[in-house]
Amino acid sequence: MSRPDAILHIGFNKCGSTALQQWLGDQASALADQGIWYRRMDPRDDVVCTNPQLQVLACTLAGEDVPARPMNAVLGITDRASQDRVAEDFRRDFEARVAKGGFDIWVGSSEALVGRNMTPAATQALADWLSSLFGRVRYVAYIRRPEPWLVSLYGHHKRRSGQDESLAEFAKRVGQAPFARLLGMWQQAVGPEALDVRLFREDWLRGSGLVEDFASVLGLPSGVVETRAKRLNTSFRDGLRGLMPMARAPKRPSLSAETRSAIANRNAETMAWIEGHCFADRRAEFRTWTAE
């Protein structure tokens, strides 16, 4: 019997991951009718999900401690023994479901897999484990232009911290967007052919373009599964889909020419790396996107 394939969305922060996870969860039954298995892997009921168990398993397989974070308490991780227990329970349950079959493609999505604490060893260990279970494994990542990505991240920061920091100061403190470093780590682990890097379009914030694009990755014919995203996890008033009351959402700040130029200069080297390593045969498409 042939093994099913797998598609794992490694979701960068502020690049539509919440919307994709919301859609996958809402459409799980319709996707199953098309031979696609999606499983929510987050113990919290009050969030869309981040599927943190995948990172826990990756760290455990690599012999590493999972990074310290509030999620550990939710998962019941207090020390290395409890981490190993959480990882083993997840692994045993997941492998049993894969062995049971009844689907053609497993699709997963996790923001934790491109967190700043994800290591090359953990990335490689997870990739090796997935390759042992599935036939073809593809990894999908959406990246965003550094300027709007930083603006969105800035809104998230202001909402959470309440600090009175200017956008220019925040952008300088953050420095380079993390895309190139983490894409390089994943490309090293899975090979360039298995890593599908896709370009996030800003007009997707007001429509269903992101979900439609991901549906095409899954090979779904148009109209077979509803592709309207109920909400997008944006940080400002424009593009919100019921995430927070409008009164609580700050207005999107405008980038001054000076700040925009500074962001572009800080990210020039990493964007050139992405173009050369991920879009070598689509340079015109990439350059048009960066100029939008």
Side-chain angles (χ1 to χ4, degrees):
M1 180 186 297
S2 62
R3 296 188 297 175
D5 293 331
I7 297 174
L8 177 58
H9 167 239
I10 49 177
F12 282 107
N13 190 23
K14 313 313 296 179
C15 291
S17 300
T18 300
L20 284 183
Q21 292 165 356
Q22 175 78 61
W23 175 72
L24 287 166
D26 288 347
Q27 301 299 325
S29 178
L31 290 170
D33 290 341
Q34 302 301 315
I36 299 172
W37 171 43
Y38 172 75
R39 169 189 169 183
R40 175 187 168 91
M41 293 181 286
D42 197 306
R44 301 166 296 174
D45 294 327
D46 59 339
V47 298
V48 175
C49 72
T50 57
N51 295 336
Q53 286 95 334
L54 286 169
Q55 187 193 39
V56 175
L57 178 60
C59 292
T60 302
L61 291 172
E64 300 174 352
D65 292 338
V66 73
R69 56 187 178 175
M71 173 56 69
N72 292 351
V74 177
L75 295 174
I77 296 175
T78 57
D79 53 19
R80 185 52 190 269
S82 56
Q83 172 188 323
D84 292 345
R85 216 165 30 245
V86 169
E88 181 55 31
D89 287 347
F90 168 72
R91 177 179 182 171
R92 183 174 56 250
D93 183 59
F94 188 89
E95 290 181 353
R97 177 62 185 85
V98 173
K100 183 178 178 182
F103 62 94
D104 302 314
I105 299 173
W106 167 71
V107 58
S109 174
S110 177
E111 296 170 75
L113 299 178
V114 282
R116 64 181 181 274
N117 295 312
M118 195 69 178
T119 67
T123 302
Q124 187 66 65
L126 183 67
D128 291 345
W129 175 69
L130 290 173
S131 293
S132 73
L133 296 176
F134 297 103
R136 182 188 180 196
V137 184
R138 289 181 285 162
Y139 300 83
V140 178
Y142 288 90
I143 62 171
R144 203 168 175 184
R145 289 185 292 115
E147 297 89 347
W149 176 79
L150 269 164
V151 171
S152 186
L153 191 67
Y154 173 68
H156 181 78
H157 166 72
K158 281 189 70 74
R159 216 172 57 237
R160 290 176 64 92
S161 71
Q163 295 179 3
D164 188 18
E165 182 179 23
S166 72
L167 176 55
E169 293 169 335
F170 177 79
K172 183 177 181 180
R173 178 166 61 82
V174 171
Q176 293 179 335
F179 305 131
R181 179 180 66 83
L182 292 166
L183 289 175
M185 182 176 70
W186 275 97
Q187 195 174 83
Q188 182 68 31
V190 305
E193 299 80 11
L195 181 61
D196 182 6
V197 182
R198 306 181 75 83
L199 304 175
F200 185 96
R201 310 283 178 177
E202 294 307 307
D203 60 2
W204 287 352
L205 292 172
R206 296 178 177 84
S208 57
L210 173 63
V211 171
E212 290 172 356
D213 186 80
F214 193 67
S216 72
V217 172
L218 299 180
L220 292 171
S222 178
V224 170
V225 177
E226 171 64 55
T227 55
R228 181 180 301 175
K230 288 189 176 180
R231 70 190 195 186
L232 288 177
N233 186 8
T234 58
S235 302
F236 299 101
R237 293 181 188 177
D238 53 321
L240 289 170
R241 296 290 184 273
L243 185 60
M244 67 180 73
M246 292 292 284
R248 290 177 54 199
K251 291 185 65 176
R252 180 177 294 274
S254 58
L255 278 172
S256 68
E258 181 181 2
T259 301
R260 184 180 298 276
S261 177
I263 293 172
N265 289 337
R266 289 189 197 105
N267 288 276
E269 183 179 351
T270 58
M271 294 298 280
W273 185 94
I274 293 172
E275 178 183 332
H277 287 77
C278 304
F279 292 88
D281 57 347
R282 293 184 290 152
R283 291 182 185 271
E285 176 190 355
F286 184 80
R287 292 176 183 178
T288 298
W289 173 76
T290 58
E292 288 178 353

